[in-house]
Amino acid sequence: MQDSKAISGWERGLLLLVAAGLLLGISMGVRQTFGLFVSPISDDMGIGRGDFSLMVAAQNIIWGAMAPLFGIAADRYGTARVIAFGGLCYGLGMVIMAAGDSLTTLHLGGGVLVGLGVAASGFPLILAAVAKAAPIEKQALWLGLASAGGSAGMFLLLPGSQAMIDYFSWVDALWALSVLAFLMIPLAFVFRGSGAGSVSLSSQSLSAALAEAGRHNGYCLLNLGFFVCGFHVAFIGTHLKDYIVACNLGAGVGAAALGVIGFFNIIGGIGAGWLGGRFPRKYLLSVIYLLRAIVIAAFLLGPKTEWAVWLFSATFGLLWLSTVPLTTGLVAQIFGTRYMATLAAIVMFSHQIGAFFGAWLGGVSYDLNQSYDMVWYISIALGLLAAVVHFPIADKPLRGPAVETA
């Protein structure tokens, strides 16, 4: 009977891992397509790129602000309900974007509702459930595999969405993406039993866990480092296509570049998870941010050819979300998994504050100067800063995994 239960638990863990990858593929993949809509929506609605970028920035800040609240809800009431609510908000937001014809509906749909949807179906909640289900010796790898699902979604949805925009319209592309967003609702049922009702031998309260994290230097530095990650991915995800177009390389090259980032991000996410189980995660994060700064500088200062775009996209793709399994893995390593959804969501809030500024400043820079160079230089400086701040993180576990794991 015990062997049967063990097999059942292992199979459930694998099913949850697959569902996590699919959910992150939809949740992260759909939102990464927003950079493809900057020019067509701005031109059709007669708004500036700064206006569209403000919508994306608002989406990011709502995502970040609500993620801790959804993390608390998942820890108390279960992950499945929160994800299903996120899928509903996400789908409705995409429908309003497709059906609307004003800046107001754009902000309501793409800013508010999609922001809520991503907050309730993003990395903190889903990776917390994966961390609890994973065998402790494979936890880092499972986090990398689940994170790679978000990369696969980006790789698959970007070229398809660009093709729909080119051959049909941006409205049709949004309708198609809304259908995908609603599919998150049935996928959420795989997570029934995750979060609420988890068995834990820890008597620590949520307020005590939050106070403990607030006093921990490593947690504060992780927040600072993840701010930089958010700035990078939001700026590049929103504005890379139009930057490439401004270099006279065509919209197709820009969309394909984002797809290449998504493909190599799959490799980077899995690789980071594998490496995170063998080397100190804080040092791996320092190396990733240093390499980001170097890659951005080389791309900005080098010749703007298609080969240069492919090289940048491939190398930056390896570094794109490889920070996610390492950062969330450090949260689990230091504090355990009991309140991981909440603590990881707070770190994600910092990520999204960075994303707000990355997306918004990119549009403002272009509207003011017809150039993105200023934000590229800021990205280089922030990458160097993040490389430094991860070194002194105190990453010693505060409690044993057996105490915290459900």
Side-chain angles (χ1 to χ4, degrees), residues 159-230:
S161 299
Q162 185 63 52
M164 290 201 69
I165 293 171
D166 291 341
Y167 292 105
F168 298 99
S169 71
W170 61 266
V171 175
D172 294 321
L174 287 175
W175 280 113
L177 292 171
S178 71
V179 173
L180 278 178
F182 281 123
L183 288 178
M184 290 193 290
I185 298 175
L187 282 171
F189 286 99
V190 177
F191 288 77
R192 284 180 296 183
S194 299
S198 296
V199 178
S200 176
L201 301 179
S202 173
S203 60
Q204 187 182 42
S205 66
L206 175 60
S207 60
L210 292 173
E212 179 182 65
R215 295 190 299 267
H216 195 279
N217 90 303
Y219 190 70
C220 297
L221 293 175
L222 278 176
N223 275 274
L224 178 57
F226 224 32
F227 171 95
V228 176
C229 181

Side-chain angles (χ1 to χ4, degrees), residues 33-40 156-170 173 177 241-242 245 250-256 258-259:
T33 66
F34 275 51
L36 306 179
F37 294 94
V38 177
S39 298
L156 295 171
L157 292 179
L158 281 165
S161 299
Q162 185 63 52
M164 290 201 69
I165 293 171
D166 291 341
Y167 292 105
F168 298 99
S169 71
W170 61 266
L177 292 171
K241 190 201 85 170
D242 289 318
V245 170
V253 176
L258 291 171

